[in-house]
Amino acid sequence: RPTSMVALAASCPDPQPLSDFLQSLREVRQVVHLDECRVDGAPLLEFLAKAFRWDLVKVVLEEMEHEESLCTLGSFKALACSEAFICPPQEVTDLLNGHLLTEKAVGSRARTLKEYFERQLQGEIASEAMIPFGFRLEDGVLIDSSDKCRVLDRVSCLQGAGP
């Protein structure tokens, strides 16, 4: 049973409603966390792959190629290694490989500022592509889209602090 509007659009037999819905979300600058879009308890893309709805998987992966797309996915590598992605069509494989190369080159976008800073503490080199949606970097300061929140883009660990 679909648990989100994205999942509901993906339940249509035709891929066009999902494509149109993702495009409209992009136009209104709405972030879509695909890992949170679940159908029968499974993440949307895994559910679609298991159901052999490669046409819909392709729609989502193509949407994520748009520079202004606000669709996020925790990890393309995890998706590619999923049981659901055994023997996808070549078009889907090519799209996924493109996303994997990009993820490897620039890293995946952090979903939250907490994740953004935790990854830096773990040694990941921060890039502009890692900044969570809704924030921009200006002169070493992360600024939210409303210009009400400003966070210094510096991570540090105090001596003796830690788990």
Side-chain angles (χ1 to χ4, degrees), residues 109-124:
R109 185 174 299 278
R111 292 182 56 187
T112 64
L113 284 178
K114 178 183 178 189
E115 178 188 337
Y116 175 76
F117 289 118
E118 284 175 342
R119 287 168 53 183
Q120 288 182 53
L121 282 172
Q122 294 169 358
E124 192 169 338

Side-chain angles (χ1 to χ4, degrees), residues 126-143:
S127 69
E128 194 136 344
M130 273 179 54
I131 297 171
F133 285 121
F135 287 87
R136 68 183 185 282
L137 182 62
E138 287 183 16
D139 300 322
V141 176
L142 295 165
I143 305 168

Side-chain angles (χ1 to χ4, degrees), residues 48-125:
L48 293 174
K50 285 180 183 176
F52 301 103
R53 290 301 313 270
W54 299 113
D55 56 336
L56 297 176
V57 172
K58 183 179 170 211
V59 164
V60 174
L61 293 176
E62 286 175 339
E63 170 60 31
M64 295 179 80
E65 285 190 324
H66 288 280
E67 188 173 310
E68 62 277 359
S69 176
L70 296 178
C71 288
T72 67
L73 184 64
S75 167
F76 285 102
K77 184 176 181 181
L79 181 64
C81 294
S82 164
E83 293 176 7
F85 272 76
I86 296 174
C87 300
Q90 190 62 47
E91 292 175 295
V92 172
T93 301
D94 292 343
L95 285 166
L96 188 55
N97 286 338
H99 287 294
L100 284 167
L101 287 172
T102 301
E103 183 175 85
K104 187 174 183 179
V106 297
S108 60
R109 185 174 299 278
R111 292 182 56 187
T112 64
L113 284 178
K114 178 183 178 189
E115 178 188 337
Y116 175 76
F117 289 118
E118 284 175 342
R119 287 168 53 183
Q120 288 182 53
L121 282 172
Q122 294 169 358
E124 192 169 338
I125 298 172

